[in-house]
Amino acid sequence: MRAGVVVFPGSNCDRDGAVALAHVTGRSPKMIWHQDTELPPLDLIFLPGGFSYGDYLRCGAIAAHSPVMREVVAAARKGVAVLGVCNGFHLLTESGLLPGALIRNAGLKFVCHSVALSVERTDTPFAARYDKGQTLRIPIAHGDGNYNADAETLARLEGEGRVAFRYAGDNPNGSADAIAGLYDETGRVLGMMPHPERAVEPALGSSDGLPLFQSLAEALA
């Protein structure tokens, strides 16, 4: 699998993503600068978490207009898989690859702990290694992870089976329908607030994120 990790000013999970990808593929991914205007041939683009451009204006709003994002959107529309985690999820909504928006947590506090997620689908390149309904433990760290969309959009997303993961039990940020991760209509673009790249080995407290990267490596090799 040829993977690339986009680096924005303020990203702080790009290296975590690169380590997780190298762990399952055996080779380091391409690190892509946000001002690049061309992408190398890739099977997967990873948009990392962090605080791109300091989260000025709103999370991901400035980074979504970085030169590289034009290439990311074009690649996604040609079928290249894209994984956006935390700030990367914001980028996917800000760039129009996913509907809705992520706003301040319902409690107006930054949340940083491990949460339980339920797996809603397994028929995508991201989730074949999971069982439907399986409960995962994955860490979160965000102040703006409250997923929202209008009622018509939410009904469409539910009807189309676009929810990838839901918070199981506690909904830490008040997301609509407890949505923690969302697919585009092709199932090849995934945005999620929890950090699977921080849960790839027991020493990190959980290895429940590892099957996501293994699924990608198997599907996109």
Side-chain angles (χ1 to χ4, degrees):
M1 178 177 70
R2 301 166 299 179
V5 178
V6 181
V7 182
F8 300 93
S11 295
N12 67 2
C13 297
D14 45 329
R15 177 171 167 74
D16 294 343
V19 170
L21 288 163
H23 182 59
V24 298
T25 65
R27 61 179 180 177
S28 298
K30 297 283 187 182
M31 304 305 285
I32 301 165
W33 187 232
H34 69 111
Q35 291 182 324
D36 287 356
T37 55
E38 294 183 1
L39 293 176
L42 296 171
D43 303 303
L44 173 73
I45 299 169
F46 182 83
L47 300 176
F51 303 88
S52 60
Y53 290 91
D55 283 348
Y56 290 113
L57 291 182
R58 60 181 181 272
C59 302
I62 299 175
H65 294 278
S66 292
V68 75
M69 283 305 298
R70 287 193 289 271
E71 303 304 313
V72 172
V73 171
R77 289 178 176 157
K78 292 178 181 175
V80 175
V82 180
L83 171 60
V85 173
C86 200
N87 202 268
F89 192 1
H90 284 270
L91 274 164
L92 293 174
T93 59
E94 290 285 345
S95 63
L97 286 173
L98 291 175
L102 294 141
I103 62 176
R104 292 294 306 275
N105 294 343
L108 303 181
K109 293 183 178 178
F110 192 92
V111 291
C112 182
H113 54 79
S114 180
V115 297
L117 303 178
S118 65
V119 178
E120 299 297 304
R121 284 180 62 180
T122 59
D123 61 339
T124 73
F126 300 88
R129 282 272 193 140
Y130 294 121
D131 295 323
K132 186 173 182 178
Q134 182 179 349
T135 300
L136 314 178
R137 297 294 304 185
I138 303 285
I140 56 171
H142 58 253
D144 301 78
N146 182 351
Y147 181 78
N148 266 267
D150 59 58
E152 181 180 351
T153 299
L154 288 171
R156 177 169 54 83
L157 294 174
E158 295 286 355
E160 294 175 353
R162 302 260 298 271
V163 178
F165 303 104
R166 291 186 209 273
Y167 298 108
D170 179 43
N171 183 345
N173 48 41
S175 287
D177 294 343
I179 292 173
L182 193 67
Y183 291 116
D184 76 341
E185 60 274 12
T186 70
R188 296 182 70 83
V189 175
L190 170 61
M192 59 189 297
M193 288 309 297
H195 288 265
E197 78 280 8
R198 294 182 181 176
V200 295
E201 57 180 290
L204 297 174
S206 171
S207 57
D208 287 353
L210 183 60
L212 185 148
F213 294 100
Q214 292 172 325
S215 297
L216 285 167
E218 291 171 357
L220 305 179

